[in-house]
Amino acid sequence: MKLSRLAATSSSLLLAAALALTGAGQAQAGERAAALDYVALGDSYSSGLGAGSYDSAAGACKRSNRAYPKLWAAANSPSSFAFTACSGARTSDVVSGQLAPLNASTDLVSLSVGGNDAGFADVMTTCVLQSESACVNRVNQARAYVDSTLPGRLDTVYDAIDARAPAAEVVVLGYPRFYKLSGTCVAGLTERERSAINGAADHLNAALAKRAADHGFAFADVRPAFTGHEICSGASWLHSVNLANIGESYHPTAAGQSGGYLAAFNAQV
């Protein structure tokens, strides 16, 4: 019996090697991806605000052809792909307006949400326009919200996804740190403000990761991919304040979507 199991194991290893050498393994992986029904939910970091090349039919949702869900679908040709992520979305918006494509046949779901609930836009506006102390105080308010209220709102979203697509693999994507400390920027926010904002991003990501794990979902941490590509790095994958298009401020560029978000998503799928 031991000999036959060893022989079977050796045969499996040889077959795997042969498949790798012939490219059949890649073909099988492609077939698995092609069989997937994929739904992309979330906020502006999933819709692709900041990456350009927007789908005019999506209107204010700012769904970009360079957003990581579109890039993943183009590379993997799933059997079906629904892209309902929308710029500005909060947890309640995902539940009320984005879940229709989910069903018992859905295999894969991606999601980024929580930043708008925590008041990210107001934090950045406060930090850019007001004093250092006002900035730090507003960051601390956001952190308190993440501790007190956001977990319950995330539970509502995650429960709704699980109820509609119980067999799906769900990947929750986080948010990057925005600033490289002691970087190339010589003006703008103070180092204390930048550090507080980065700390808040870490705090939010920790909450997202915990709630995802508690629901059996995967968490894709984008911070490693963005390291060296923050604002003030000299090679940023994030827009700084953009007065010509204020909505794109602090959002990933096309490079941030492909090199940051897509890479993190691929690592989990």
Side-chain angles (χ1 to χ4, degrees):
M1 182 64 70
K2 290 183 179 179
L3 182 60
S4 62
R5 287 181 179 174
L6 180 60
T9 301
S10 299
S11 297
S12 297
L13 291 172
L14 288 171
L15 177 59
L19 288 172
L21 288 171
T22 61
Q26 292 181 350
Q28 288 184 348
E31 289 172 3
R32 286 194 297 272
L36 290 174
D37 295 298
Y38 171 38
V39 179
L41 312 170
D43 57 19
S44 53
Y45 286 76
S46 287
S47 75
L49 177 62
S53 187
Y54 303 115
D55 179 359
S56 59
C61 282
K62 294 292 183 180
R63 296 187 191 110
S64 171
N65 293 314
R66 299 169 181 162
Y68 77 86
K70 291 282 283 189
L71 297 176
W72 191 91
N76 293 278
S77 301
S79 55
S80 69
F81 171 52
F83 190 17
T84 59
C86 187
S87 177
R90 301 187 179 198
T91 51
S92 57
D93 299 312
V94 173
V95 172
S96 64
Q98 296 188 21
L99 303 185
L102 296 176
N103 57 57
S105 298
T106 302
D107 301 293
L108 178 64
V109 176
S110 64
L111 170 70
S112 66
V113 75
N116 290 319
D117 294 74
F120 159 75
D122 187 57
V123 167
M124 301 312 299
T125 299
T126 299
C127 289
V128 169
L129 298 179
Q130 299 186 33
S131 67
E132 181 183 90
S133 61
C135 170
V136 173
N137 287 338
R138 183 63 185 89
V139 167
N140 288 336
Q141 290 173 15
R143 290 173 66 110
Y145 180 93
V146 169
D147 290 336
S148 65
T149 307
L150 185 61
R153 298 203 171 198
L154 293 173
D155 286 340
T156 298
V157 177
Y158 297 168
D159 285 341
I161 292 171
D162 193 48
R164 286 176 171 264
E169 175 186 3
V170 181
V171 179
V172 175
L173 292 99
Y175 299 91
R177 295 187 186 100
F178 295 102
Y179 290 99
K180 178 177 175 59
L181 301 181
S182 302
T184 60
C185 295
V186 295
L189 303 186
T190 68
E191 198 75 351
R192 184 183 177 210
E193 289 172 321
R194 292 168 184 154
S195 179
I197 291 167
N198 281 358
D202 289 341
H203 198 69
L204 174 56
N205 280 309
L208 294 172
K210 184 179 186 309
R211 299 318 302 147
D214 288 346
H215 286 262
F217 298 166
F219 178 71
D221 189 350
V222 302
R223 288 171 295 178
F226 274 89
T227 298
H229 297 287
E230 308 94 334
I231 298 168
C232 303
S233 67
S236 180
W237 286 351
L238 293 158
H239 293 282
S240 186
V241 177
N242 182 354
L243 296 178
N245 191 336
I246 199 68
E248 292 191 342
S249 302
Y250 301 105
H251 284 84
T253 63
Q257 284 288 332
S258 60
Y261 272 84
L262 179 62
F265 186 48
N266 275 331
Q268 294 294 332
V269 178

